[in-house]
Amino acid sequence: MGKKSKHGNGSAASEGTPALRFLHDRGVAFQEAAYEHDDDVTDYGAEAAQALGVSAERVFKTLLVAEADGKALGVVVLPVDHRVAMKAAAAAFGWKKAVLADPAVAQRRTGYVIGGISPFGQKLPSPTVIDESAMHHATVYVSGGRRGLDVEVTPQDLVSVLNAKTAALSA
C-alpha cells in the first residue's frame, strides 16, 4: 500500500515535484500517494492502481496527443485501463485527426518522464481534456510528476485548476 500524506495550503509540497508545487501554489487540496515503483514495470497505471489499492477506473493517466498535421498539442487524461479514442480526442480539441505525440516530444514539452507525466505543472502547458468518467468519482488519482507518486484530487479541482473541459475520450 502506498504512503499517503495530506497537503493543502502550506506543507513540504513546495519542495516536491513541479506538479506538487503547482497544486500548492494554487491552494488546491490534494493527498500525496507514494509507492515503490518497480523499474521492470512498463504498465505504470496498472502498477499505480495495484500499489495504491485503488480501482483502475479512479487512477487516470496523462497522455500528450498531437494534431495529425503536427500544428498543435493537447493533453488527455483518462482512466489507466482505457485507451484513448483518437477521433473523440480530435473532436474535443477541434481537430480533424489526432495521434499520440512522440514520447520524446511529450517529455520535452511537459518536463516529465513517460510514466510520470502529470497534468499539473507542465513545462509548457497545453489545452487539456479530461475523460468525463472522472466526474463520477469523489476523488481521482493522477501522476504527481514522477513514477511512484500520484496525487488524489477531486475531479472538480482537476478540471478547474487546469481550465480543462470534459469529454468522452475512452475507446
Side-chain angles (χ1 to χ4, degrees):
M1 182 73 82
K3 175 185 102 180
K4 295 184 179 183
S5 59
K6 290 185 182 251
H7 292 285
N9 297 334
S11 70
S14 60
E15 300 169 12
T17 66
L20 299 182
R21 288 190 298 274
F22 177 93
L23 292 167
H24 178 266
D25 291 349
R26 285 156 183 79
V28 176
F30 66 96
Q31 185 164 310
E32 209 175 309
Y35 58 93
E36 190 67 36
H37 167 66
D38 179 346
D39 288 337
D40 293 330
V41 171
T42 56
D43 188 344
Y44 307 110
E47 178 189 41
Q50 182 179 14
L52 298 173
V54 177
S55 68
E57 66 190 18
R58 285 188 53 218
V59 180
F60 282 64
K61 59 187 169 186
T62 304
L63 303 173
L64 205 66
V65 294
E67 190 172 11
D69 64 11
K71 291 183 180 175
L73 293 170
V75 173
V76 294
V77 182
L78 70 158
V80 297
D81 61 346
H82 292 202
R83 291 183 172 264
V84 63
M86 289 300 177
K87 285 184 180 184
F93 290 110
W95 305 339
K96 288 185 180 185
K97 187 175 179 185
V99 296
L100 277 178
D102 179 89
V105 170
Q107 290 183 147
R108 270 194 315 274
R109 176 78 178 211
T110 65
Y112 296 117
V113 298
I114 299 300
I117 295 177
S118 177
F120 307 120
Q122 295 184 0
K123 189 174 175 183
L124 293 169
S126 299
T128 302
V129 179
I130 299 163
D131 189 79
E132 64 189 12
S133 67
M135 305 312 286
H136 301 217
H137 305 286
T139 61
V140 294
Y141 291 80
V142 296
S143 175
R146 67 172 168 79
R147 295 174 188 155
L149 176 64
D150 276 28
V151 291
E152 182 181 15
V153 297
T154 68
Q156 295 78 9
D157 282 343
L158 181 65
V159 170
S160 175
V161 76
L162 294 171
N163 195 27
K165 58 183 176 177
T166 60
L169 294 174
S170 298

